[in-house]
Amino acid sequence: LNSDFFNSLKEDANNNYSKSTFYAFNGINYRSASERDIAIFYTEAGIPFKYEPEVWFNGMNKPAYPDFVLLIPELDTCKFHEHCGLMSFDNYIREVSLKCGTYARSGLLMDQDVFFTYSSDDVKLDFRYLSAKLNAVVYGTMLNFNQ
């Protein structure tokens, strides 16, 4: 999962659910204020990303649409960021579980290749937490490169 993989991804490919124009940023409509704010964070930090690109993994009969695929150019590697904002809904929890299984069956490691953040109406995403999660997955990759 390198820059060639990243460059091959089609941006904003998930049309399975509607998006509000209320959460627009840089020409993309995001599903929530939190996802839009995450896009702003990555843009301001200079981190290349694609929002909800179509991703095919071996053995899948339909694509996955990660919330964000990040490119870490210094390491020529990609990271998957899933932001969970509806954890009080059973169907949503089931979908998140299925995504976790898809990632795991594809050989991706949780908190190494894929990381999750959460928010709700009561608990807003703290961007210090996002920074810490991102630093942990990048640093973990650096450690693995040096073994």
Side-chain angles (χ1 to χ4, degrees):
L1 303 175
N2 59 17
S3 56
D4 290 335
F5 168 80
F6 181 81
N7 292 332
S8 75
L9 297 175
K10 181 182 173 195
E11 173 105 66
D12 194 22
N14 187 357
N15 295 317
N16 295 330
Y17 306 99
S18 63
K19 297 175 191 170
S20 168
T21 57
F22 187 71
Y23 304 120
F25 173 69
N26 274 354
I28 295 176
N29 295 326
Y30 293 87
R31 294 192 196 289
S32 68
S34 293
E35 287 186 349
R36 181 203 52 216
D37 293 346
I38 291 167
I40 293 169
F41 171 85
Y42 286 140
T43 300
E44 290 177 351
I47 299 169
F49 71 91
K50 295 203 177 174
Y51 177 68
E52 290 194 341
E54 183 178 274
V55 177
W56 287 90
F57 294 109
N58 289 337
M60 290 178 58
N61 57 6
K62 65 179 187 173
Y65 298 97
D67 291 332
F68 298 90
V69 176
L70 313 176
L71 176 64
I72 311 301
E74 299 82 358
L75 301 173
D76 194 29
T77 192
C78 293
K79 302 295 177 185
F80 294 76
H81 175 190
E82 291 289 351
H83 181 71
C84 304
L86 300 172
M87 294 302 284
S88 58
F89 296 95
D90 289 341
N91 285 342
Y92 185 81
I93 293 170
R94 250 187 308 283
E95 285 185 32
V96 170
S97 296
L98 289 172
K99 272 189 174 181
C100 285
T102 298
Y103 291 138
R105 283 187 303 280
S106 300
L108 300 176
L109 302 173
M110 298 301 124
D111 286 333
Q112 176 71 45
D113 302 310
V114 181
F115 67 98
F116 291 81
T117 55
Y118 306 89
S119 65
S120 68
D121 290 338
D122 299 331
V123 180
K124 300 296 179 204
L125 176 62
D126 186 328
F127 285 89
R128 295 172 299 180
Y129 177 70
L130 175 55
S131 294
K133 294 284 281 191
L134 184 58
N135 285 336
V137 298
V138 169
Y139 186 67
T141 299
M142 291 170 54
L143 290 175
N144 285 337
F145 281 170
N146 292 322
Q147 290 181 358

